[in-house]
Amino acid sequence: MAELSKTAAENVQRWLSDPLIDDETKRELQELQEQPQELEERFYKDLEFGTGGLRGVIGAGSNRINRYTVGRATQGFARYILEQHGQAAGKPSVVIAYDSRHFSPEFALEAALVLAGNGITAKLFPSLRTTPQLSFSVRHLNATGGIVITASHNPPEYNGYKVYNAEGGQLVPHQAEQVIQYIQEIDSFASVKRLEQSEAEAEGLLVWLGDAEDEAFAETVAGVSVNREKITSELGKDFKIVYTPLHGTGNIPVRNVLNKVGFTNVHVVAEQEQPDAEFSTVKSPNPEEREAFTLAMKLGKEVGADILVGTDPDCDRMGAVVLNDAGEYEVLSGNQSGAVMIHYLLSQLQEQGKLPDNGAVIKTIVTSEMGAVIARHYGAEIFNTLTGFKYIGEKMTEFEQTGKYTYLFGYEESYGYLAGNYARDKDAVLASLLICEAGAYYKAQGKTLYNVLQELYAEFGYFREKLESRTLKGKDGLAQIQAKMADWRENPPQKIAGAAVTEVLDYSKGLDGLPQENVLKYMLDDGSWFCLRPSGTEPKIKVYFAVRGNSLQDAEERIDKLAAEVMARVDA
């Protein structure tokens, strides 16, 4: 114990002496006495309530996700819910969903029983549901809030806990800060109020959701289709889709919605169809990575698929793979898919006379300008937010309340998209539908989505983007990330990759009316930019790059040069 920091040693002792901590957990901690570094990592701080909630490695400890840290977070959220609810009519309620990760059902039930212990009705899905369905259900059921147990596309050892407000959006900073304060005021697990399951059910404080909510969600998403009649009557049956849920929650809802709209030629990757907390067929269950599509590509070639679609474990991110001119499968980036969907959606609305004069598209500050240029071509206003769909959701609610703008589409480069006003989080169910619908529509014109993308480049500019990241785990890694950000902030480059730095945007100062965030963006005189940002959900520093070239080859050369020079300094 002598090798532990004072904070870690005190936290370990607190857990070992707490009568509410179960014997199995205490045994696990006793066995770690000879591993001070591991104990330090588990107890040097409390697991931070960061981007929308908790995310961490599963295990015993204050800096791990487990039933105790979930219970403590839920107690803080319950206090927030009760204070926000105030004197509103009826009992407050929170909808809870969970994905296919280890302990997801257990953590979801624990959260429900703590809510029940605070007199808040927990409306719990009995099996896997997607994150976007949770967002939709909060709004659809007029709930006071929501919780989803997921760690998105993190490795198998992780799980997470995200909380939502009454609008169905993840908490934004001023809301999260209040919850964090309430959590920090809980100095003992004895302060966490909790009912047993039988008692919560008997008192009507634990309610199980089911088929009616599923059908409402599916029909609402299908309703966003802009060519449903054409897909159902002619285009859907000839368009071949290969889909993989990557062992997550997307299998049933994605297939259900595609079928509703008329896509009947859907082939599912059998090896990745069933939920699997180990994600055993992939290195990472992340549709941003080409490797995740290895099995889908194999099946695609066997069946002659027009498109391959994959969704992450909680089905809020969608990746698409299309055929290039050589007949090979090419993974679209999040920026490319976003540009294609914006063009398809807005062009169809315009053609049908349904494009509003006050239409708005929302993107994040690290997302390509290509989608913005296309959206402006169709008369839409562009709004930029910080990274995180919660900010896009917040803007959507603002539009809904003021009526000044009509929301059309929101997206971020990390494969998150939403069209339609039914949710306040990114939806891979909807994105799967929209990208397949665009594919089928253009196939009828003799084009692939790759052809469409080349046409968009020729018309709007040769945009190219890249993302690099460095994983730096643990206490030391966090310190390294902070040191790197401080170095770039204090010693900004004057010139990089042959271009002069014309502006440094330091979002920690709260630029453009946005909340303060530790993000640095460097604008270059050739129209390029790059941006450094610590991840809010993983132990990573992320570096984003964007250029606009005279041709695809020119753009490719520019971005490679820019990325090489910046990363050489990041890695120094």
Side-chain angles (χ1 to χ4, degrees):
M1 295 293 285
E3 296 182 59
L4 294 185
S5 64
K6 186 170 181 286
T7 301
E10 287 174 355
N11 279 339
V12 171
Q13 199 50 51
R14 193 177 294 124
W15 277 57
L16 288 173
S17 59
D18 194 321
L20 294 176
I21 302 285
D22 66 275
D23 292 340
E24 189 181 336
T25 298
K26 288 180 180 177
R27 274 195 303 275
E28 183 182 341
L29 297 180
Q30 293 285 6
E31 288 167 7
L32 289 171
Q33 296 292 321
E34 302 306 314
Q35 299 178 49
Q37 190 174 348
E38 177 66 17
L39 271 181
E40 180 71 25
E41 289 291 345
R42 291 186 182 214
F43 283 99
Y44 80 93
K45 64 174 184 174
D46 287 340
L47 187 61
E48 287 175 7
F49 196 94
T51 308
L54 304 171
R55 193 176 296 191
V57 175
I58 300 163
S62 60
N63 188 35
R64 293 289 182 266
I65 192 159
N66 48 65
R67 58 171 287 210
Y68 302 106
T69 50
V70 165
R72 184 169 178 258
T74 307
Q75 182 61 45
F77 186 46
R79 182 176 166 190
Y80 173 82
I81 288 286
L82 292 169
E83 294 210 356
Q84 291 298 306
H85 187 67
Q87 301 303 310
K91 190 176 284 185
S93 63
V94 171
V95 183
I96 305 174
Y98 61 88
D99 72 2
S100 58
R101 288 180 175 272
H102 291 297
F103 296 101
S104 283
E106 291 86 348
F107 293 162
L109 182 59
E110 186 67 22
L113 298 179
V114 172
L115 290 170
N118 285 271
I120 298 167
T121 303
K123 298 184 175 182
L124 178 59
F125 284 103
S127 56
L128 311 185
R129 295 299 188 282
T130 69
T131 290
Q133 183 170 349
L134 179 279
S135 177
F136 165 80
S137 296
V138 170
R139 296 172 63 80
H140 183 66
L141 297 171
N142 295 312
T144 326
I147 296 171
V148 64
I149 307 296
T150 178
S152 189
H153 56 270
N154 277 50
E157 63 269 23
Y158 281 79
N159 211 330
Y161 171 102
K162 292 199 290 193
V163 293
Y164 289 74
N165 56 30
E167 284 78 42
Q170 290 182 51
L171 300 192
V172 290
H174 72 273
Q175 297 169 328
E177 282 160 16
Q178 192 65 67
V179 176
I180 290 165
Q181 183 186 323
Y182 292 155
I183 293 169
Q184 288 172 345
E185 289 172 10
I186 300 167
D187 57 2
S188 160
F189 292 121
S191 304
V192 177
K193 301 172 187 175
R194 183 183 184 278
L195 292 185
E196 291 302 317
Q197 182 175 341
S198 56
E199 191 180 356
E201 288 173 334
E203 293 186 22
L205 289 166
L206 175 54
V207 176
W208 296 94
L209 301 176
D211 294 347
E213 287 75 30
D214 295 339
E215 181 56 27
F217 173 68
E219 195 50 57
T220 301
V221 174
V224 179
S225 166
V226 287
N227 271 315
R228 190 169 181 174
E229 203 174 295
K230 279 184 185 173
I231 301 297
T232 304
S233 62
E234 49 179 317
L235 304 182
K237 63 181 182 297
D238 295 326
F239 191 71
K240 291 182 182 175
I241 301 165
V242 162
Y243 170 63
T244 173
L246 295 175
H247 304 295
T249 60
N251 183 35
I252 294 170
V254 169
R255 293 165 73 178
N256 190 10
V257 167
L258 288 174
N259 186 59
K260 268 183 182 295
V261 175
F263 288 105
T264 54
N265 208 334
V266 180
H267 305 262
V268 180
V269 178
E271 300 95 327
Q272 297 171 334
E273 181 177 357
Q274 295 307 315
D276 173 8
E278 285 297 316
F279 310 114
S280 51
T281 65
V282 288
K283 185 179 175 185
S284 169
N286 186 353
E288 295 179 65
E289 296 177 13
R290 180 182 175 85
E291 195 178 29
F293 285 101
T294 301
L295 291 171
M297 288 179 183
K298 181 172 176 283
L299 179 59
K301 285 179 178 173
E302 287 171 11
V303 301
D306 295 297
I307 195 170
L308 319 177
V309 175
T311 55
D312 70 343
D314 65 324
C315 199
D316 63 352
R317 296 171 193 253
M318 182 281 301
V321 183
V322 298
L323 287 166
N324 64 21
D325 290 343
E328 294 300 317
Y329 285 120
E330 190 158 316
V331 181
L332 296 182
S333 72
N335 287 308
Q336 290 171 328
S337 291
V340 167
M341 284 190 274
I342 287 171
H343 170 64
Y344 170 70
L345 183 67
L346 272 55
S347 66
Q348 293 308 292
L349 290 173
Q350 184 181 69
E351 204 172 288
Q352 296 165 16
K354 296 176 182 176
L355 189 63
D357 294 334
N358 65 345
V361 168
I362 312 171
K363 71 176 192 67
T364 69
I365 58 171
V366 296
T367 298
S368 169
E369 289 302 311
M370 184 174 182
V373 170
I374 294 169
R376 287 191 190 99
H377 172 76
Y378 289 103
E381 192 83 21
I382 306 301
F383 293 85
N384 285 291
T385 70
L386 293 175
T387 306
F389 219 90
K390 59 190 173 188
Y391 297 116
I392 294 176
E394 182 183 35
K395 210 76 184 152
M396 291 173 67
T397 296
E398 179 193 312
F399 294 164
E400 192 174 59
Q401 290 168 348
T402 64
K404 192 174 178 183
Y405 295 98
T406 300
Y407 172 78
L408 297 172
F409 193 78
Y411 77 119
E412 45 189 1
E413 51 72 42
S414 55
Y415 290 60
Y417 318 94
L418 181 68
N421 226 4
Y422 60 89
R424 290 292 180 272
D425 212 338
K426 51 191 178 284
D427 185 1
V429 183
L430 180 278
S432 298
L433 168 63
L434 206 55
I435 199 83
C436 289
E437 190 173 302
Y441 175 82
Y442 292 117
K443 184 183 179 182
Q445 298 177 8
K447 299 176 188 176
T448 65
L449 288 184
Y450 182 83
N451 299 148
V452 173
L453 186 60
Q454 304 315 304
E455 289 175 359
L456 294 176
Y457 282 137
E459 183 174 357
F460 297 106
Y462 294 93
F463 292 84
R464 190 77 176 87
E465 300 79 30
K466 195 171 193 174
L467 169 63
E468 295 273 4
S469 65
R470 296 293 183 264
T471 299
L472 297 161
K473 292 184 178 180
K475 190 177 180 180
D476 291 343
L478 180 63
Q480 286 180 58
I481 290 170
Q482 289 170 344
K484 288 178 190 295
M485 291 298 294
D487 176 52
W488 281 88
R489 184 170 276 117
E490 292 159 15
N491 305 293
Q494 302 302 306
K495 198 171 186 181
I496 203 141
V501 176
T502 56
E503 191 177 11
V504 180
L505 301 173
D506 186 348
Y507 288 93
S508 70
K509 296 175 180 174
L511 303 180
D512 303 325
L514 300 173
Q516 294 177 348
E517 194 156 295
N518 187 16
V519 178
L520 293 166
K521 189 172 184 179
Y522 298 84
M523 313 302 291
L524 309 181
D525 66 359
D526 64 354
S528 307
W529 58 261
F530 66 96
C531 181
L532 287 88
R533 170 183 165 264
S535 171
T537 56
E538 298 172 274
K540 288 181 177 180
I541 184 168
K542 293 187 169 185
V543 190
Y544 304 80
F545 305 92
V547 302
R548 186 176 185 176
N550 303 316
S551 65
L552 276 181
Q553 185 180 343
D554 178 49
E556 201 71 53
E557 288 169 0
R558 284 184 190 217
I559 202 145
D560 286 347
K561 186 179 179 186
L562 178 61
E565 288 198 23
V566 172
M567 294 315 293
R569 176 170 164 181
V570 169
D571 291 334

